[in-house]
Amino acid sequence: MSGADAAVLADLAGEHLDLVRAPFTLPRSRLMAFRSADGADGTLRVHTSEYERSLEECIVLDALRVRGSEGEVLPVTRVRPHEIVLGDGAAGITFAGTGALAVGVATGVEASVEWDTGEGLQSLRVGGRHAASVVFDVGADRTVEFARSTEYASLRGATEATWFDWFVRCPVVRDDLQAMTAFCWWVLGANIVELPQLGEARAVVPSKIGYVGLWQWDAYFIAVGLRHGDPALAREQLDLALRFPTAVGQLPDVVHELGVLASSDDLPASDRETLRRAGSAVADPAAPVPLTKPPLTAWALRKVLDAEPAEPAEDWARAHLEVVRRSQDWWFAHSDLDGDGLPEYGHPYSSGLDDSPVFDGPLPTTSPDLAAYLVRQDLELADLVERLEGDGAAAARHRDRAARTLELLLDLWDEDRGLFRARAAGEPVASDTIVGLMPLLTGGLPDRIRDRLVGALDEPDRFAAPWGIPTVAVGDPAFSPARMWRGPVWVNTNALVAEGLAASGRPTRARDLAEATVRLVQHGGGPHEYFDPITGERAPTATTAFGWSAALFVDLAVGLSRGDRD
């Protein structure tokens, strides 16, 4: 792709940068600029992005604005990835490296820059006989230093070059999907942060707005989208997710700038006690509760490998195989809490669907999605060890365990209701949720069960919502269109069900669901965390510019554009 093409894609992405749902930011930077909380046009607020801290705790510049020679506030007239344009070009805001912002005015313009760092409003004249711009340098402790500068044009050029270099990698897709793909590619670039405690590590976080860390599950989905334009960065996400297994092979829930979250002992004391009280009814309530995410590791590894199947990429995948195999073994050895051969979730955190009604009862929870992921992971591992190590015996062991797990999964089938039912501490769960559709991923369901699951997608009182697939069936008493995991549509669960349909011999239905999912994101105005299944709009509490939604939109758009559902 040329620089001219990159400029066009940057402009397409810029159409979504409203400074409310999508901030002004830069790859690898922790700074974000939003419109002021009072909605005043031209008045901005700048925040840092930090692990486990809210935006309100991380304000570094408040009431940032530029006033013209008559004292009027210059409004925001355009936002591009590299610049906030004020007053039709009279002034602008850009980055001065990853840790600073620059405010500049056009030649001959006289203006003043105002801001508040929490110590009262300050003002500085710029333009005319004074310097053309002012640079705000934000320190690690959120202190702000400012200095006059005459380098605004070169700073804007460097910021533009950073973004153009990113957009050069943006996948080219179908015309009707290209604009949203460009915005989703911006989201992925915008969500890159550095984790200096881990060397030169770059994490593409779920969101700089409240999710500043590398969650294991998010890393898998994000890598699957990144592979289409930046396979090296996709591999880096899996490198981080797989870098810190425990001694028994468990992968951590989160890798963040201060360490990892792998058990309740990694949480603050108050959270730790709350979590233990809610923990497994089988495990010792005084013992640490392991925290992880569902086993889609080999699935993501194989997809990233297939993006660049040359020898160096195979060496990379081969180096991770043992960690992935040990993590799979961990589920069977340490999370089969009732000893029946089928692992359970010891805590909702480990499911990725924390607030789902399948966890309203006692723990541990035997859930059909976990069983399906374990089957799929063993099948993926069988193919990988055969392909990368030539180990047919090991492949056979993985396939044998997948077959045994599938048999145990089929025991969760409720023929009368036509669904897979979770069990809470051994007792059947009544809730009808999207976890019951995940067994399609195994590709090995009996035809009658597969057909009933596919049929559920067409039933209005189950999963045929106007903007499906709801995470809880519409007719279920727990259904709520706006509550996290209790009804809203998520791009990742839609994508997994689409892949399950393809694996189960329903490629046309898989493509239809992929088309419906990209239309949902377009209709809703961007890759939000989750969507109302009735209106198709962003649910009020959903985070915007969300990483896995952006990545999976890119992945779906690429697949739809080339006519397959890999």
Side-chain angles (χ1 to χ4, degrees):
M1 185 183 296
S2 69
D5 294 330
V8 170
L9 293 171
D11 283 345
L12 289 173
E15 293 175 7
H16 294 273
L17 304 187
D18 59 1
L19 306 183
V20 177
R21 293 184 172 187
F24 182 65
T25 190
L26 185 72
R28 306 176 85 121
S29 176
R30 294 298 186 97
L31 298 180
M32 300 180 291
F34 294 86
R35 292 184 188 269
S36 175
D38 63 10
D41 195 22
T43 301
L44 305 177
R45 174 177 282 178
V46 180
H47 307 254
T48 57
S49 181
E50 302 176 34
Y51 178 66
E52 292 295 290
R53 289 187 180 275
S54 69
L55 287 179
E56 292 304 309
E57 295 177 278
C58 300
I59 299 171
V60 291
L61 286 173
D62 204 356
L64 175 64
R65 52 184 167 250
V66 179
R67 293 188 182 273
S69 59
E70 302 299 319
E72 75 284 10
V73 175
L74 299 182
V76 174
T77 52
R78 187 182 183 190
V79 183
R80 300 185 69 199
H82 66 278
E83 184 180 36
I84 300 173
V85 180
L86 304 172
D88 290 323
I93 299 173
T94 193
F95 274 84
T98 57
L101 287 171
V103 183
V105 299
T107 302
V109 172
E110 293 189 9
S112 61
V113 180
E114 293 181 350
W115 71 93
D116 186 351
T117 59
E119 299 177 354
L121 196 65
Q122 300 181 65
S123 179
L124 184 69
R125 294 289 299 175
V126 293
R129 294 183 296 106
H130 299 290
S133 61
V134 56
V135 174
F136 295 95
D137 193 349
V138 181
D141 57 356
R142 288 188 236 122
T143 57
V144 180
E145 296 182 0
F146 67 93
R148 297 180 185 276
S149 170
T150 58
E151 300 298 319
Y152 184 81
S154 63
L155 295 172
R156 179 180 57 197
T159 303
E160 183 178 52
T162 296
W163 274 115
F164 281 10
D165 182 61
W166 178 250
F167 279 106
V168 162
R169 298 172 170 81
C170 180
V172 176
V173 297
R174 235 168 48 190
D175 287 349
D176 62 311
L177 301 175
Q178 191 65 71
M180 185 56 71
T181 297
F183 179 47
C184 288
W185 196 249
W186 175 90
V187 169
L188 293 173
N191 286 347
I192 297 172
V193 302
E194 293 181 339
L195 299 176
Q197 290 83 349
L198 301 178
E200 297 296 317
R202 297 175 299 164
V204 182
V205 301
S207 173
K208 285 181 179 174
I209 310 169
Y211 290 94
V212 189
L214 186 128
W215 274 258
Q216 185 195 141
W217 223 28
D218 298 71
Y220 301 156
F221 296 127
I222 287 169
V224 165
L226 283 173
R227 68 185 171 132
H228 297 296
D230 197 335
L233 187 57
R235 291 193 294 269
E236 193 169 340
Q237 304 317 293
L238 300 187
D239 291 342
L240 287 169
L242 300 176
R243 188 185 293 190
F244 301 101
T246 67
V248 292
Q250 174 209 339
L251 293 172
D253 187 355
V254 190
V255 176
H256 55 83
E257 55 199 323
L258 303 177
V260 300
L261 174 62
S263 87
S264 53
D265 280 349
D266 299 324
L267 293 167
S270 58
D271 290 351
R272 186 164 61 245
E273 291 308 313
T274 299
L275 184 59
R276 283 181 177 170
R277 285 196 298 272
S280 170
V282 173
D284 180 356
V289 179
L291 302 177
T292 185
K293 279 292 182 284
L296 285 170
T297 325
W299 170 83
L301 189 77
R302 189 263 306 167
K303 284 180 174 285
V304 172
L305 170 61
D306 286 349
E308 264 189 348
E311 187 172 338
E314 289 192 345
D315 290 342
W316 165 81
R318 192 177 294 111
H320 284 309
L321 262 185
E322 185 58 25
V323 172
V324 181
R325 294 180 70 184
R326 291 188 70 234
S327 73
Q328 177 79 342
D329 291 343
W330 174 85
W331 284 99
F332 291 92
H334 298 277
S335 204
D336 178 10
L337 299 173
D338 59 8
D340 68 349
L342 188 62
E344 297 86 34
Y345 290 124
H347 193 274
Y349 281 19
S350 295
S351 74
L353 282 70
D354 312 3
D355 298 324
S356 173
V358 300
F359 298 110
D360 287 352
L363 292 164
T365 301
T366 305
S367 190
D369 62 321
L370 177 56
Y373 300 144
L374 289 166
V375 171
R376 181 63 179 260
Q377 175 130 295
D378 265 325
L379 294 175
E380 296 277 8
L381 282 170
D383 291 344
L384 285 168
V385 296
E386 231 168 22
R387 170 180 174 181
L388 299 174
E389 298 181 340
D391 191 338
R397 289 193 293 273
H398 283 295
R399 292 190 179 104
D400 287 345
R401 184 165 60 185
R404 293 194 301 272
T405 307
L406 179 59
E407 286 300 314
L408 293 169
L409 167 59
L410 292 175
D411 288 341
L412 301 179
W413 178 250
D414 184 326
E415 183 68 29
D416 292 337
R417 295 188 63 194
L419 53 79
F420 283 96
R421 297 182 68 174
R423 294 176 186 156
E427 294 300 317
V429 173
S431 298
D432 186 8
T433 77
I434 202 162
V435 302
L437 299 177
M438 294 306 167
L440 290 166
L441 283 165
T442 66
L445 298 177
D447 289 351
R448 62 181 178 79
I449 294 178
R450 177 202 59 198
D451 292 345
R452 291 193 71 177
L453 290 183
V454 173
L457 298 175
D458 299 323
E459 296 178 27
D461 64 340
R462 294 192 69 190
F463 298 107
W467 295 92
I469 302 170
T471 42
V472 173
V474 173
D476 191 283
F479 172 75
S480 174
R483 287 186 64 190
M484 179 182 283
W485 294 121
R486 301 181 78 90
V489 182
W490 291 68
V491 176
N492 71 319
T493 49
N494 270 23
L496 288 172
V497 173
E499 181 141 342
L501 288 166
S504 297
R506 292 291 183 268
T508 301
R509 292 301 301 261
R511 188 178 181 87
D512 289 346
L513 179 53
E515 293 279 10
T517 304
V518 296
R519 287 198 303 271
L520 168 67
V521 175
Q522 291 173 315
H523 170 82
H528 309 309
E529 188 178 14
Y530 47 92
F531 300 78
D532 186 310
I534 308 302
T535 67
E537 300 294 334
R538 166 183 168 254
T541 54
T543 298
T544 59
F546 196 68
W548 81 31
S549 299
L552 292 173
F553 182 95
V554 171
D555 186 56
L556 292 171
V558 170
L560 289 168
S561 300
R562 69 187 184 195
D564 66 32
R565 283 289 308 124
D566 174 31

